């Protein structure tokens, strides 16, 4: 699966929109771009997934350009409870194990 | 409904001892995965089971690690002759089937080898 690169850490104030960009230059045709969120002492939790263009759910939006070499997770109006590590990864159906990098540690400040 | 559960939540063991970690996946999920997360690191894939197929053991770091899944449900990860470098959080995840991309994770077992 594709190797992904994302910032190690980000800081934001409450109420701001946060955008975390991930690069995945070698993503395969059948990989979906998937984001997980992990709070301390918990397992990762699925946030959002997309193939191309834009996907939005109740938690976040995901923007994927036509070349699919990068993606941006957008968290609207973050709160302190959004402080977590966010992982970008390529995912493929057929029960392929997920390949996690170190993720982006987001710290939301009051 | 109930999520993925793991036990124990914490385990402290002496170097050289064997340990067993248990995972109860979501009922009806056919795929089950084990990952390991060392302090401040991302997740490292260990092994996965899909239905009655032979497990994919490609991520196991050594032959001291083994896992089984009984009756297509509960899984046990066994680490023999534990070493200090085995200290980590061991996470289990399950998935409904081959058409799904999302995995549901349990809270993990924190293993400390002294």
């Amino acid at each position: 699966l594709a190797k992904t690169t994302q910032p190690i850490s980000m800081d934001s104030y409450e109420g701001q929109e946060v955008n975390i960009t991930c690069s995945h230059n070698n993503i395969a045709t059948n990989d979906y771009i998937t984001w997980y969120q992990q709070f301390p002492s918990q397992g990762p939790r699925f946030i959002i997934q997309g193939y191309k263009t834009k996907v939005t759910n109740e938690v976040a939006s995901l923007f994927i350009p036509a070349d699919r070499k990068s993606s941006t997770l957008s968290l609207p109006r973050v709160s302190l409870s959004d402080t977590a590590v966010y992982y970008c990864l390529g995912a493929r159906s057929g029960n392929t194990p997920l390949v996690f990098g170190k993720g982006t540690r987001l710290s939301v400040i009051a | 409904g109930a999520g993925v559960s793991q036990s124990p939540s914490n385990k402290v063991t002496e170097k050289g001892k064997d340990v067993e970690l248990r995972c109860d996946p979501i009922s009806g999920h056919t795929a089950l995965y084990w990952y390991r997360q060392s302090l401040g690191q991302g997740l490292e894939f260990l092994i996965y089971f899909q239905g009655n197929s032979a497990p994919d053991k490609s991520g196991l770091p050594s032959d001291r690690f083994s896992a089984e899944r009984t009756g297509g449900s509960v899984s046990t990860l066994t680490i023999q002759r534990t070493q200090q470098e085995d200290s980590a959080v061991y996470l289990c995840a399950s998935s409904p089937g081959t058409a799904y991309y999302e995995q549901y994770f349990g809270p993990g077992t924190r293993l400390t080898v002294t």
Side-chain angles (χ1 to χ4, degrees):
Chain A
L1 293 175
K3 181 179 185 297
T4 61
T5 302
Q6 52 185 123
I8 294 174
S9 63
M10 295 180 70
D11 295 331
S12 176
Y13 288 101
E14 276 192 294
Q16 290 188 327
E17 178 184 79
V18 171
N19 296 308
I20 306 174
T21 296
C22 176
S23 66
H24 27 78
N25 292 319
N26 298 317
I27 192 165
T29 302
N30 53 349
D31 280 349
Y32 274 66
I33 295 144
T34 307
W35 288 78
Y36 279 75
Q37 174 191 55
Q38 186 177 26
F39 297 113
S41 301
Q42 295 186 26
R45 181 176 74 105
F46 173 88
I47 301 177
I48 196 167
Q49 176 178 275
Y51 190 79
K52 59 181 176 182
T53 65
K54 177 183 174 182
V55 178
T56 297
N57 62 20
E58 65 278 5
V59 176
S61 294
L62 179 60
F63 300 90
I64 305 168
D67 65 7
R68 300 192 349 110
K69 293 185 183 299
S70 67
S71 60
T72 299
L73 176 73
S74 181
L75 304 172
R77 298 178 299 281
V78 294
S79 64
L80 295 176
S81 62
D82 293 317
T83 294
V85 178
Y86 293 81
Y87 296 95
C88 160
L89 54 157
R92 191 175 298 168
S93 68
N95 292 315
T96 306
L98 300 175
V99 178
F100 285 83
K102 295 187 179 181
T104 297
R105 184 172 300 276
L106 173 65
S107 298
V108 180
I109 307 163
Chain B
V4 177
S5 61
Q6 294 185 243
S7 61
S9 55
N10 282 284
K11 176 71 176 178
V12 180
T13 190
E14 293 180 352
K15 177 182 173 181
K17 295 285 182 67
D18 298 351
V19 295
E20 286 189 351
L21 312 180
R22 177 187 168 106
C23 172
D24 285 84
I26 294 173
S27 178
H29 280 196
T30 59
L32 185 148
Y33 309 76
W34 283 98
Y35 296 86
R36 176 170 73 173
Q37 186 171 33
S38 301
L39 187 62
Q41 302 296 311
L43 279 73
E44 173 190 7
F45 162 71
L46 297 176
I47 185 171
Y48 96 88
F49 300 86
Q50 168 55 47
N52 295 321
S53 302
D56 177 350
K57 304 179 182 180
S58 60
L60 294 179
S62 77
D63 58 8
R64 296 186 295 104
F65 289 72
S66 63
E68 63 176 22
R69 187 179 186 192
T70 54
S73 181
V74 172
S75 177
T76 302
L77 177 70
T78 302
I79 308 173
Q80 297 179 309
R81 305 181 301 282
T82 53
Q83 304 295 313
Q84 289 187 328
E85 60 263 28
D86 299 333
S87 296
V89 175
Y90 290 81
L91 290 154
C92 173
S94 69
S95 179
T98 56
Y100 288 82
Y101 304 83
E102 179 179 349
Q103 295 182 15
Y104 298 80
F105 284 81
T109 294
R110 180 175 299 278
L111 175 66
T112 303
V113 182
T114 61

